[in-house]
Amino acid sequence: MPGTDRPAHHPFGARDSWFPRSRRSPQLARQLLRELLDEWPGGERFVEAGELLTSELVGNAVLHSGMPGRLIRVFFDVDDDRLRIEAHDAGERLPIPRYPTTEDTRGRGLLLVDALCLKWGYAARPDGIGKVVWCECGPWPLTAE
């Protein structure tokens, strides 16, 4: 699913930050997402799926970027219909979904991303080495109403 498919920038509904390649970065990125969604009218509709997708994309960037000392950039963009999540890292390894066996303890993250989002993809970073992996999800409460 290559390509950026990048939407127009929404200044009020956007946040970005740089994080270290650390196991703590997914948590810090989720906190940044919650701050954005708390300020966006109707943002609560994106919290459950958004936090899970953020954990997967940022966790993969931490795990697979392969460049000690490099930072990971996280970008969020929300409007009334969708939340976009981007994880930028310095790694060259492309995100390829795996189909793990029942004994595998890892490898299900991109399958989860694919199941929860409207679309996802990846592309080379336009301003440096590495790649950006992105996804977009709609407002999606996990509980039926």
Side-chain angles (χ1 to χ4, degrees):
M1 300 185 177
T4 60
D5 200 24
R6 188 167 187 117
H9 179 70
H10 301 279
F12 171 66
R15 290 280 194 301
D16 74 310
S17 188
W18 292 89
F19 297 105
R21 242 186 101 224
S22 163
R23 287 185 292 161
R24 222 175 136 229
S25 292
Q27 175 188 356
L28 296 171
R30 287 191 307 271
Q31 182 178 351
L32 181 68
L33 173 65
R34 281 190 299 273
E35 290 169 6
L36 169 64
L37 295 178
D38 283 348
E39 293 175 11
W40 186 260
E44 70 279 354
R45 301 172 304 139
F46 297 98
V47 169
E48 290 183 82
E51 285 188 347
L52 192 53
L53 292 164
T54 297
S55 292
E56 288 300 326
L57 294 189
V58 176
N60 282 347
V62 168
L63 185 64
H64 299 297
S65 67
M67 301 288 290
R70 298 282 182 147
L71 297 175
I72 295 166
R73 178 177 179 246
V74 178
F75 174 80
F76 300 111
D77 186 35
V78 66
D79 63 27
D80 293 336
D81 300 317
R82 62 104 188 103
L83 167 67
R84 182 180 179 89
I85 302 163
E86 296 180 5
H88 300 241
D89 68 61
E92 300 296 327
R93 186 174 171 190
L94 298 179
I96 307 294
R98 293 183 37 205
Y99 298 92
T101 67
T102 55
E103 280 112 43
D104 289 330
T105 59
R106 296 170 49 188
R108 292 169 179 80
L110 287 177
L111 296 175
L112 184 62
V113 168
D114 190 56
L116 292 177
C117 68
L118 301 170
K119 54 187 173 178
W120 72 276
Y122 57 88
R125 288 182 59 211
D127 56 351
I129 62 170
K131 66 185 173 303
V132 56
V133 181
W134 60 270
C135 69
E136 293 184 359
C137 68
W140 191 64
L142 293 176
T143 57
E145 297 194 24

